[in-house]
Amino acid sequence: MINFVVNDKEVHSEQPADTPLLWVIREELGLTGTKFGCGIAQCGACTVFLDGRPLRSCSLPVSALGGGDVTTIEAIAGPEAEAVQRAWVARDVPQCGYCQSGQVMSAVALLREVKKPSDRDIDLAMNGNICRCAAYIRIRAAIKDAARALEG
Ligand code: FES
Ligand code: FES
């Protein structure tokens, strides 16, 4: 049995040790906000936080969690998450929406680290999040809006 925490709830998974965390999140726990895109850590659709840091859940076996604390899009909270969510709505960022939970997770992680991100900071932080609808301009603008809102 593999023990870890997802969104403040203890999980005791009986899945094989090499099962990707994404499978447990979606199939076992029913948290479908986290998406499967490429399955090879290239698109960012499956981004979650492990102990507060973003990672690609499609490529992390549950055996590597080490009792860690996982947060999914369903449970992100705090000022950065609220500012990002408000900015996303105001800018009408999503098109098809498929990539968006991953985009939001990466944006929140960025704003927790960098209070006033430059275009380059945004490009570096969001580089691994692919959007097939090419909403990149709105994503960048929304991150800047969120940063300004957090400044007060
Ligand atoms: S599904 Fe994990 S990075 Fe694409
Ligand atoms: S909004 Fe469609 S893939 Fe990003």
Side-chain angles (χ1 to χ4, degrees):
M1 182 179 296
I2 299 164
N3 303 314
F4 51 100
V5 174
V6 176
N7 299 344
D8 294 327
K9 293 196 182 109
E10 287 186 17
V11 176
H12 310 287
S13 180
E14 303 276 4
Q15 300 292 333
D18 61 352
T19 305
L21 171 61
L22 177 60
W23 266 240
V24 175
I25 289 171
R26 287 183 57 86
E27 304 298 330
E28 192 172 340
L29 305 179
L31 296 168
T32 55
T34 307
K35 303 301 185 195
F36 172 75
C38 64
I40 52 170
Q42 295 294 308
C43 77
C46 65
T47 303
V48 299
F49 294 159
L50 176 60
D51 297 328
R53 304 196 68 82
L55 61 77
R56 308 302 190 225
S57 61
C58 68
S59 299
L60 187 78
V62 282
S63 57
L65 282 169
D69 194 344
V70 176
T71 306
T72 70
I73 188 74
E74 287 86 353
I76 51 166
E80 292 83 6
E82 289 167 18
V84 165
Q85 286 167 333
R86 274 197 295 271
W88 246 242
V89 170
R91 287 270 177 187
D92 205 9
V93 170
Q95 192 162 323
C96 80
Y98 198 83
C99 71
Q100 291 294 321
S101 59
Q103 305 281 1
V104 166
M105 298 301 280
S106 292
V108 170
L110 168 62
L111 290 171
R112 284 179 180 171
E113 294 286 321
V114 184
K115 296 301 169 201
K116 284 174 85 170
S118 64
D119 286 350
R120 181 169 160 72
D121 293 329
I122 294 171
D123 288 347
L124 285 173
M126 305 301 290
N127 188 31
N129 288 86
I130 307 296
C131 177
R132 283 184 153 204
C133 303
Y136 299 113
I137 292 172
R138 293 196 300 279
I139 289 168
R140 179 185 284 182
I143 290 172
K144 291 196 166 183
D145 288 350
R148 274 191 292 273
L150 286 163
E151 272 185 290

